[in-house]
């Protein structure tokens, strides 16, 4: 499936701010089932753009706007060709639980077995697991247990934007029984790790299809879960839409939870409020795209080799986080 993605993020400030520094996790991954055809990044005001690979292997772009400004616009355009993942068997043998207890696996997947950030156990999660007999699923093989868990989360939580925030702890969605994709992903990840199954958070996009029963917002970024089973390697589950990851899912970054891979994150100099507006469009490409597979930055935003660093104690006292971060839905 050939998809075109347009992701616009606009920050507006109540008055002028003196400087902004941002990091972006917006470039789709390059993998066996996902070919990145092109990626464009446009910034207004223009800025030098740099990149690095984070500790999870994700492509991260960062820039500094060093002059006064009262708005910041980031437009990321991608073209991606995806393939359906290989078919997953109906079930595995119960010996998969023993394979999950391998010391080698625990070392290789250390980051994805520990509680972290939003994806951690709590009293509210334990009550939820008891109410739905979640631990009883462990009597089945791990693959079957995961499939049922995916459906259970889908059935027991309503989809509603605005009930939780980008920085909401897991207890908020457990109390409200409503939330968005990042909330459901955190619930599933915390449960999987409590079972000893490595699980990671996937940030990206979904080509929404109402015919398939998708309930996620087509105008927002998306998030789902990947779990590691020794017999199958990494496989994806989307508890928001009660489906496995498909060719309609476009992965940008993976991490331990949302805090590792938000679409954008940054700070600015000033003591003013910021307002965030986000628009996402994912659609099938109308024609073949043959552009080379590399980052293209608009001429005015082209950068050099070394990132600019902020100086002075004034920055330490007057910086503000971009609190209105985009919540993945």
């Amino acid at each position: 499936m050939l998809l075109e993605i347009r992701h616009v993020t606009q920050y507006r400030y109540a008055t002028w701010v003196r400087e902004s520094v941002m990091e972006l996790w917006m470039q789709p991954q390059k993998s066996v089932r996902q070919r990145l055809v092109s990626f464009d990044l446009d910034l207004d005001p223009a800025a030098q753009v740099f990149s690095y690979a984070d500790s999870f292997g994700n492509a991260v772009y960062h820039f500094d706007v060093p002059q006064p400004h009262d708005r910041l616009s980031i437009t990321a355009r991608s073209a991606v060709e995806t393939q359906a993942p290989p078919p997953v068997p109906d079930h595995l043998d119960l010996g998969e639980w023993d394979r999950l207890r391998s010391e080698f696996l625990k070392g290789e997947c250390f980051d994805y077995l520990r509680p972290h950030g939003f994806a951690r156990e709590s009293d509210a999660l334990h009550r939820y697991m008891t109410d739905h007999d979640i631990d009883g699923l462990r009597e089945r093989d791990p693959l079957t247990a995961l499939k049922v868990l995916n459906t259970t989360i889908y059935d027991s939580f309503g989809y509603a934007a605005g009930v939780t925030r980008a920085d909401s702890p897991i207890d908020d969605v457990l109390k409200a029984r409503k939330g968005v994709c990042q909330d459901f992903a955190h619930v599933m990840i915390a449960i999987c790790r409590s079972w000893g199954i490595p699980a990671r958070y996937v940030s990206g996009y979904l080509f929404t299809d109402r015919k398939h029963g998708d309930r996620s917002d087509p105008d927002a970024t998306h998030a789902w879960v990947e779990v590691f089973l020794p017999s199958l390697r990494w496989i994806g589950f989307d508890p928001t839409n009660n489906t496995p990851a498909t060719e309609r899912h476009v992965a940008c970054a993976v991490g331990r939870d949302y805090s590792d891979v938000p679409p954008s994150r940054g700070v600015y100099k000033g003591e003013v409020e910021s307002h965030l507006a986000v628009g996402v469009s994912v659609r099938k490409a109308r024609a073949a795209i043959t552009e080379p597979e590399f980052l293209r930055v608009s001429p005015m935003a082209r950068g050099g080799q070394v990132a600019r660093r902020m100086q002075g104690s004034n920055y330490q006292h007057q910086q503000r986080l971009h609190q209105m971060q985009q919540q993945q839905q």
Side-chain angles (χ1 to χ4, degrees), residues 217-245:
D217 187 346
D219 300 321
T221 55
H222 192 52
W224 60 98
V225 179
E226 285 184 346
V227 298
F228 186 88
L229 296 177
S231 298
L232 301 174
R233 310 296 293 176
W234 290 103
I235 57 174
F237 289 94
D238 184 351
T240 302
N241 298 305
N242 193 26
T243 180

Side-chain angles (χ1 to χ4, degrees), residues 13-29:
Y13 308 104
T15 186
W16 295 87
V17 299
R18 294 185 295 282
E19 188 171 16
S20 291
V21 177
M22 297 291 296
E23 289 183 307
L24 310 175
W25 284 261
M26 293 182 179
Q27 177 184 293
Q29 291 181 334

Side-chain angles (χ1 to χ4, degrees), residues 309-326:
R309 295 183 179 179
M310 286 187 170
Q311 303 290 337
S313 60
N314 200 34
Y315 169 69
Q316 297 295 331
H317 294 290
Q318 296 189 1
Q319 66 174 333
R320 277 185 69 93
L321 286 172
H322 280 291
Q323 307 241 353
M324 299 292 290
Q325 290 191 47
Q326 172 183 346

Side-chain angles (χ1 to χ4, degrees), residues 169-182:
I170 196 172
D171 286 1
D172 285 4
V173 66
L174 291 166
K175 179 180 179 180
R177 288 294 193 267
K178 295 178 182 179
V180 292
C181 65
Q182 73 181 50

Side-chain angles (χ1 to χ4, degrees), residues 73-229:
S73 178
I74 305 163
T75 302
R77 297 182 182 86
S78 309
V80 184
E81 185 177 21
T82 62
Q83 296 181 0
V88 173
D90 293 333
H91 57 83
L92 298 174
D93 63 84
L94 290 173
E96 193 75 1
W97 289 114
D98 293 327
R99 292 187 280 273
L100 282 165
R101 288 190 283 269
S102 159
E103 292 300 322
F104 176 79
L105 183 146
K106 290 179 181 179
E108 287 295 301
C109 299
F110 179 78
D111 283 331
Y112 302 122
L113 283 167
R114 301 172 59 209
H116 181 271
F118 304 109
R120 61 176 61 247
E121 296 178 60
S122 67
D123 291 341
L125 181 65
H126 293 156
R127 287 192 295 271
Y128 170 77
M129 294 173 67
T130 299
D131 292 344
H132 293 83
D133 193 25
I134 297 296
D135 278 336
L137 297 177
R138 300 181 68 178
E139 297 177 1
R140 311 184 188 189
D141 70 274
L143 179 59
T144 301
L146 289 165
K147 290 178 178 179
V148 176
L149 175 61
N150 196 52
T151 300
T152 300
I153 294 174
Y154 173 83
D155 289 338
S156 55
F157 293 96
Y159 181 87
V163 176
T164 58
R165 306 180 311 276
D167 59 351
S168 289
I170 196 172
D171 286 1
D172 285 4
V173 66
L174 291 166
K175 179 180 179 180
R177 288 294 193 267
K178 295 178 182 179
V180 292
C181 65
Q182 73 181 50
D183 302 310
F184 309 146
H186 287 148
V187 170
M188 187 168 184
I189 289 171
I191 293 173
C192 289
R193 291 176 184 170
S194 75
W195 287 352
I197 298 178
R200 63 190 184 187
Y201 184 95
V202 187
S203 173
Y205 306 100
L206 175 68
F207 176 61
T208 304
D209 189 343
R210 297 303 186 195
K211 294 180 180 178
H212 285 80
D214 293 342
R215 60 180 182 176
S216 50
D217 187 346
D219 300 321
T221 55
H222 192 52
W224 60 98
V225 179
E226 285 184 346
V227 298
F228 186 88
L229 296 177

